[in-house]
Amino acid sequence: MDPELVKRHGNTHYANVAYGYYVLFVTVFYLLFLWVLRMILKPRAAGINSSRKRKLAQQLYLVKPAIHLPILLMAVLLPFYRHYSLSEHPTVYMKRLGRLSYVLLTLNLILNLRPSWILRHTYTYTDLIPLHKWLSRCIVLIAVVHGILFLAYWALGTSNLLGTKLRNPYNLIGFLLFFPLFLLIVCSVAPMRRYSYNAFYLIHNMATFSFIFLTAFHARPGISFPYLVLNTGLLIWHGFAKFHYARHTDVLQKNTDYHNTNLVNIQLPRMVLPDQFEPACHIRVSPYTRLHPLYWLFPSHPFTVASLPSDTAVDLIVAESRHPKSFKFEMGAPYTVINKYDPAIPRLCLESAKRVAIVCGGSGVSFGLPLYRYFKEIRPVEYVQFIWLVKDVYQLKMIDELASINSFDGSKDCHAFITRIAENDNTALEAEQDLEFELESMTQGMGEDGALVNSSDDQPVSNFKFASINFGRRIDWATDLSQFVEPASIDNTWLLTCGPSSLIESGRQYAADNGIYFASEVYAL
């Protein structure tokens, strides 16, 4: 070894190289672990009264960050403190934090792939979003702590050591990198993110690019191979997917009733989706063309498809927010539809379910309706029930405008629940929107238990043939699904829910109490 190199760095210069490879090995092993989980665990619900073992299995299956993140961090931190004394070689461990954050970025980029081509047959991209968000926060925090520790160490050292170190271009790059990461932490706080998600997304992308490429110049020993190569390759794949799987389109029709509700129906040309797609799949929509710079700098918006492959148009049912910065479809404006993403429904359900109940709230009907039609038209099952909860009766009329629903009869197994009897106050449903997704929460209104009212009564209800319309009350799971669960068929019985977290958790508890399969999509991510 070069004597000058030994003199400058001592015998600890390469102390963290092996640790970096270890973290990369953990990344590969963890991806294998995720694949195995979906092979051996079943999507049965675990409720309040479930055993600890069953709750743990369910949280592992759902990739809950509260369980998966500690497992991952324990694995990468297990050999973190080894061989070198902290008091004698503190910089070894400060550098190790920096290398840890960069290697973990590879896993985070994989988790955010859309679609996740490594886990595409076992996970949808929405399954991995919560873990991606929390792992991102950990990576940024580790990197920032790495920088703060070095600044403090140099500031407390000999006179003018901090100035001398920062005049080194390698250290200066690391110091400059500190600012976009710190800004990302500030902008990722929920109030800031809600105020302007576009700003957060732009800063997020700038920080990611800076972290990937500037760290490659900053880190010593170098990290070009394999980490920079891997991260650059993943970025290229992200860009390729966003460019290649995109279709230019416009809006065929926009049906609204702004006077009474914020639910709107959007119809897009059938060509924006391939010949075949699964019910309740997602698309992402950008208001910019692929050649527009903002197409790459600003986020696209995900929507659930309310249609089936046999339909002549692609229907979306969206709860438009009153937030001035929220995304809204406009007639005559060009849009880009980005890819098709599988729904949050296991393939096991679509292929083998025999008894199915679908409960959705508000704009969650875009999730529930295609699944209901799938189990009625494409793969008929022995029992299916569809329940839609809305706040105002006017919202029921929105499905009248769907391109494929005019001749469909739900008079045997479709039920609507109006949680608040409409008044002549011309007040639309208020909805708080997380600008990260269109999957907004439905604000549930309060109401006294009301009588069963059929669509033949003098009410401004939908032309769609419901079996019943219940005014002034919410679903009573035990009563309204009293014919659903049969002990002899629980291995083929599925409860599918979509809506705000409160609705999802109520459904999960009901499924756990009855030992049936459960799948859901939360419209409040």
Side-chain angles (χ1 to χ4, degrees):
M1 183 179 293
D2 190 331
E4 293 185 2
L5 185 63
V6 174
K7 180 179 180 181
R8 180 181 177 187
H9 297 287
N11 60 357
T12 64
H13 182 59
Y14 297 98
N16 292 313
V17 173
Y19 179 73
Y21 287 122
Y22 169 79
V23 177
L24 186 61
F25 169 78
V26 170
T27 293
V28 175
F29 184 82
Y30 179 72
L31 292 172
L32 179 63
F33 173 68
L34 287 176
W35 181 80
V36 170
L37 281 179
R38 287 291 169 101
M39 296 297 104
I40 63 175
L41 296 179
K42 301 299 182 182
R44 293 190 187 273
I48 297 174
N49 300 321
S50 302
S51 66
R52 290 183 179 179
K53 182 178 179 181
R54 186 171 175 182
K55 287 182 178 179
L56 177 61
Q58 181 69 3
Q59 290 178 323
L60 284 170
Y61 179 89
L62 295 174
V63 200
K64 292 290 187 180
I67 296 296
H68 278 258
L69 199 56
I71 291 174
L72 179 62
L73 292 179
M74 285 177 60
V76 298
L77 292 176
L78 188 63
F80 185 85
Y81 183 75
R82 291 188 66 185
H83 298 307
Y84 300 95
S85 167
L86 180 61
S87 59
E88 295 179 7
H89 302 283
T91 58
V92 168
Y93 297 102
M94 289 188 283
K95 290 180 180 180
R96 189 163 292 185
L97 286 173
R99 187 159 294 244
L100 171 62
S101 64
Y102 193 82
V103 181
L104 282 179
L105 182 62
T106 303
L107 173 60
N108 211 32
L109 289 171
I110 293 174
L111 293 178
N112 199 38
L113 286 174
R114 299 170 178 173
S116 178
W117 46 270
I118 293 179
L119 302 168
R120 67 178 304 165
H121 296 300
T122 49
Y123 294 86
T124 65
Y125 83 95
T126 54
D127 292 332
L128 302 172
I129 285 175
L131 180 60
H132 160 72
K133 290 166 64 175
W134 281 100
L135 181 57
S136 297
R137 291 162 180 162
C138 285
I139 290 171
V140 173
L141 181 62
I142 292 171
V144 169
V145 169
H146 157 82
I148 291 175
L149 288 177
F150 262 107
L151 290 175
Y153 181 74
W154 293 334
L156 296 174
T158 58
S159 177
N160 202 32
L161 177 62
L162 177 61
T164 301
K165 289 292 185 181
L166 290 182
R167 282 192 291 271
N168 183 314
Y170 297 104
N171 295 334
L172 181 60
I173 289 175
F175 177 72
L176 295 176
L177 183 58
F178 177 86
F179 292 98
L181 294 179
F182 182 77
L183 185 60
L184 179 60
I185 292 177
V186 174
C187 292
S188 64
V189 177
M192 295 292 293
R193 192 175 66 245
R194 289 180 184 274
Y195 177 74
S196 178
Y197 186 72
N198 282 348
F200 162 75
Y201 189 84
L202 179 61
I203 293 170
H204 172 275
N205 284 346
M206 290 175 56
T208 300
F209 274 86
S210 300
F211 189 50
I212 289 175
F213 295 108
L214 292 183
T215 303
F217 292 99
H218 164 71
R220 291 158 292 165
I223 53 174
S224 295
F225 186 84
Y227 313 116
L228 177 61
V229 173
L230 286 172
N231 291 341
T232 302
L234 289 168
L235 276 184
I236 292 173
W237 176 260
H238 276 277
F240 171 79
K242 192 170 182 178
F243 184 87
H244 181 72
Y245 300 107
R247 293 176 174 88
H248 178 78
T249 188
D250 52 10
V251 177
L252 291 180
Q253 191 171 345
K254 180 176 181 179
N255 302 303
T256 65
D257 181 12
Y258 288 131
H259 190 63
N260 295 302
T261 175
N262 67 340
L263 280 189
V264 301
N265 164 233
I266 306 296
Q267 291 183 7
L268 302 177
R270 177 61 183 82
M271 51 75 61
V272 302
L273 286 174
D275 292 340
Q276 296 299 321
F277 57 88
E278 292 186 325
C281 70
H282 301 128
I283 58 174
R284 298 188 71 91
V285 179
S286 172
Y288 308 104
T289 65
R290 288 178 291 182
L291 299 180
H292 197 293
L294 295 183
Y295 177 76
W296 302 95
L297 296 177
F298 282 179
S300 57
H301 307 270
F303 298 90
T304 303
V305 176
S307 304
L308 292 179
S310 58
D311 297 336
T312 58
V314 172
D315 280 301
L316 311 175
I317 300 177
V318 184
E320 284 192 340
S321 172
R322 292 180 176 180
H323 195 292
K325 297 181 182 295
S326 66
F327 172 82
K328 296 180 178 66
F329 284 97
E330 301 293 345
M331 293 294 297
Y335 295 94
T336 302
V337 174
I338 308 166
N339 216 332
K340 167 195 70 72
Y341 306 98
D342 290 340
I345 300 297
R347 194 173 298 273
L348 176 67
C349 173
L350 298 175
E351 295 176 351
S352 63
K354 294 182 179 179
R355 300 180 67 82
V356 179
I358 304 164
V359 181
C360 56
S363 60
V365 67
S366 59
F367 166 93
L369 194 57
L371 288 168
Y372 171 67
R373 293 179 57 209
Y374 173 83
F375 289 115
K376 290 280 286 189
E377 299 175 346
I378 299 177
R379 190 185 161 273
V381 294
E382 65 183 47
Y383 177 98
V384 63
Q385 189 168 359
F386 174 66
I387 294 175
W388 185 21
L389 290 82
V390 295
K391 185 175 181 180
D392 289 328
V393 67
Y394 299 100
Q395 294 183 319
L396 298 184
K397 295 183 69 62
M398 194 47 58
I399 62 173
D400 290 350
E401 309 296 338
L402 298 183
S404 57
I405 210 68
N406 292 334
S407 62
F408 199 78
D409 185 357
S411 59
K412 293 183 179 180
D413 36 40
C414 287
H415 306 270
F417 287 79
I418 317 300
T419 60
R420 186 190 70 184
I421 299 177
E423 300 174 357
N424 294 324
D425 57 2
N426 299 328
T427 302
L429 175 69
E430 295 287 349
E432 292 296 331
Q433 183 184 46
D434 185 338
L435 298 181
E436 186 170 357
F437 298 95
E438 117 286 357
L439 309 179
E440 60 277 292
S441 61
M442 179 191 70
T443 304
Q444 295 194 5
M446 300 298 294
E448 300 297 329
D449 286 348
L452 181 67
V453 180
N454 294 319
S455 58
S456 59
D457 290 85
D458 186 19
Q459 296 285 346
V461 298
S462 170
N463 293 326
F464 180 77
K465 297 177 181 178
F466 285 98
S468 69
I469 298 178
N470 304 267
F471 283 84
R473 75 179 185 93
R474 301 187 182 93
I475 181 175
D476 183 318
W477 296 90
T479 301
D480 296 311
L481 294 178
S482 59
Q483 305 299 316
F484 173 43
V485 179
E486 291 187 354
S489 303
I490 59 173
D491 287 337
N492 301 107
T493 301
W494 285 80
L495 174 62
L496 310 177
T497 63
C498 180
S501 300
S502 57
L503 178 65
I504 300 299
E505 292 309 312
S506 296
R508 190 188 307 279
Q509 184 61 50
Y510 172 82
D513 291 342
N514 290 275
I516 60 176
Y517 287 117
F518 178 79
S520 65
E521 189 165 276
V522 181
Y523 272 25
L525 291 176

